[in-house]
Amino acid sequence: DARIKLLYERSASSKKVVESIREEASRVGREVRIMNFCGTHEWTITHYGIRSLMPENVKLIAGPGCPVCITPGYYVDTLVKLALEGYHVLTYGDSFRLPGSSLKQPRSLYDAKAYGGKVTVVYGFNDAIELASRNKGETFVFFAVGFETTMPSTAVPLVRGNLPENLLIFPAYRLTPPVMRFLLEKHPEARIDGVIAPGHVSSVIGWRSWSFLAEEFGVPTVVAGFEPLDVLLAVLLILKMINAGKPSIVNEYTRVVKPEGNVGAKEAMSRAYKVVDAYWRGIGVIPSSGAVHREEFKKHDAYTRLGLEDRVVDDKLPGCKCPEVTLGLATPLDCPLFMKACKPSNPYGPCMVSVEGTCRIWAENVPVI
Ligand code: SF4
């Protein structure tokens, strides 16, 4: 692969780090499984062929860090219904084609639009505010998908109190540290020896939020940036901690991430939202991993204003291995539908929809294992 050659030959630093990784890995003397939490890290690893640079005994495992992949399918069912009833549903582009809980048409907001439903793709919550302000005769419902990185975009305007009355938020937010705790407690078969923690999320919640991985589970953790060299350094630091027998948390992404994160954003999030147990698609209910509006912001809450019910519905699609892929228990290549019935142009399962989904990343960047 020419890209790998370029990376290896042109970058003396990368070459040195790869050599050190090989040295440390041979000292470990067993298989080491490192989970990269974030979909963007998975993109860097797959796009630049970083797996092919790893020694035989170092495995890089894609983790649950794709918010679209884990958003409940029955949320989509509800929004599809609202769009067909005349509510104007606003969605980010990466949730537009997210399939609902069944194979029944219309399966996604994209399909709902084709069926005559009102659906508009927005770049951000500010666009939603502008649209609702300009069209007072309509009721807008914003599909608020994302991790802690996107939560402040609705939390800050809510707290400032400058939202138009006809703009409702459908909160689908999920919190990231609880899913790693869940994975380590409930899925020991994933055999995680180290974690590359997400850089973007950590810029909001702070690197200290990941300390529990080392302190409670003895799993070395590195908060890393998204350049190939960031990822290589994270792998090296994890191997060094394993060899030293001293699991800890290291912040490699010092150019962006602070120990406490973005204090203002965190304050707005906790004023606007209350942490609750929440369902992750195909996986189950994870304690303290979701968010609902606090009482004073219920006037903008889609559930309250429209009398909706949040009832868990089985949303695992027949044959789709997304839950296993998300938890690091399978790769897209283990799914018989990968690049057959499920492709980026016609996604069948949720991990093929977003650019952060492991299946989509593997489909668009030939994986070099
Ligand atoms: Fe699901 Fe498609 Fe991935 Fe298979 S290839 S696990 S069906 S998203």
Side-chain angles (χ1 to χ4, degrees):
D1 186 321
R3 284 171 306 175
I4 300 166
K5 218 167 156 233
L6 211 65
L7 170 76
Y8 195 79
E9 282 176 359
R10 283 212 189 147
S11 167
S13 316
S14 298
K15 195 174 169 184
K16 260 172 93 173
V17 177
V18 170
E19 278 162 9
S20 303
I21 287 174
R22 295 210 169 119
E23 220 176 282
E24 292 289 339
S26 72
R27 285 183 55 212
V28 179
R30 62 172 171 87
E31 185 175 281
V32 176
R33 291 168 59 85
I34 298 174
M35 174 168 276
N36 47 283
F37 177 93
C38 181
T40 314
H41 280 140
E42 182 55 28
W43 186 89
T44 301
I45 289 166
T46 309
H47 184 78
Y48 291 102
I50 286 177
R51 283 192 180 88
S52 71
L53 298 174
M54 292 297 110
E56 189 66 18
N57 64 329
V58 175
K59 306 289 180 214
L60 300 182
I61 317 291
C66 160
V68 172
C69 308
I70 55 81
T71 292
Y74 55 86
Y75 285 6
V76 176
D77 302 344
T78 303
L79 288 159
V80 163
K81 191 163 167 278
L82 291 176
L84 295 172
E85 282 172 359
Y87 294 99
H88 197 145
V89 176
L90 305 175
T91 175
Y92 291 128
D94 59 359
S95 315
F96 191 36
R97 300 197 71 171
L98 180 63
S101 65
S102 73
L103 303 180
K104 218 174 77 199
Q105 281 291 348
R107 285 187 75 207
S108 64
L109 289 169
Y110 174 87
D111 294 338
K113 192 170 173 116
Y115 275 66
K118 284 190 172 182
V119 183
T120 299
V121 173
V122 290
Y123 287 109
F125 192 58
N126 280 346
D127 293 347
I129 298 174
E130 204 189 312
L131 267 171
S133 306
R134 277 197 278 116
N135 299 279
K136 296 281 189 204
E138 286 187 83
T139 301
F140 291 82
V141 182
F142 177 71
F143 191 13
V145 170
F147 292 145
E148 296 91 333
T149 347
T150 45
M151 265 177 96
S153 69
T154 55
V156 171
L158 272 172
V159 167
R160 286 187 183 151
N162 52 1
L163 292 188
E165 291 248 324
N166 58 332
L167 177 56
L168 311 181
I169 298 167
F170 187 98
Y173 294 126
R174 293 294 179 265
L175 309 176
T176 52
V179 70
M180 280 311 300
R181 177 179 289 282
F182 172 86
L183 212 156
L184 291 168
E185 282 175 350
K186 307 287 182 202
H187 290 281
E189 72 275 26
R191 293 182 287 116
I192 306 302
D193 299 302
V195 171
I196 302 177
H200 296 148
V201 162
S202 303
S203 70
V204 176
I205 64 174
W207 62 255
R208 280 208 190 102
S209 306
W210 301 103
S211 318
F212 73 96
L213 293 172
E215 286 164 9
E216 293 178 42
F217 296 93
V219 174
T221 303
V222 177
V223 175
F226 297 96
E227 296 299 326
L229 190 54
D230 290 314
V231 175
L232 290 174
L233 279 169
V235 172
L236 177 59
L237 289 163
I238 288 169
L239 291 173
K240 277 179 178 291
M241 286 191 263
I242 291 173
N243 278 330
K246 288 184 181 159
S248 180
I249 167 95
V250 177
N251 178 22
E252 183 276 337
Y253 203 21
T254 50
R255 59 196 191 272
V256 173
V257 177
K258 306 272 177 297
E260 69 289 352
N262 184 330
V263 177
K266 284 201 300 190
E267 205 182 295
M269 279 154 63
S270 71
R271 274 189 62 196
Y273 291 101
K274 190 168 81 176
V275 173
V276 292
D277 298 348
Y279 177 79
W280 291 54
R281 184 171 194 157
I283 295 172
V285 174
I286 300 182
S288 304
S289 68
V292 293
H293 290 113
R294 289 193 187 275
E295 208 48 49
E296 62 183 293
F297 303 108
K298 291 281 190 196
K299 64 176 181 187
H300 288 292
D301 180 63
Y303 281 97
T304 309
R305 285 271 300 272
L306 306 179
L308 306 175
E309 198 191 351
D310 188 1
R311 189 171 51 86
V312 173
V313 171
D314 180 16
D315 55 6
K316 192 174 181 304
L317 298 170
C320 172
K321 286 197 170 291
C322 275
E324 292 87 342
V325 170
T326 304
L327 293 172
L329 305 172
T331 76
L333 303 184
D334 296 318
C335 176
L337 306 179
F338 182 68
M339 296 310 278
K340 293 185 179 90
C342 186
K343 296 179 181 179
S345 57
N346 188 22
Y348 173 82
C351 302
M352 190 59 91
V353 178
S354 160
V355 289
E356 290 184 298
T358 303
C359 295
R360 167 101 180 248
I361 294 168
W362 283 41
E364 289 180 341
N365 300 271
V366 181
V368 185
I369 312 290

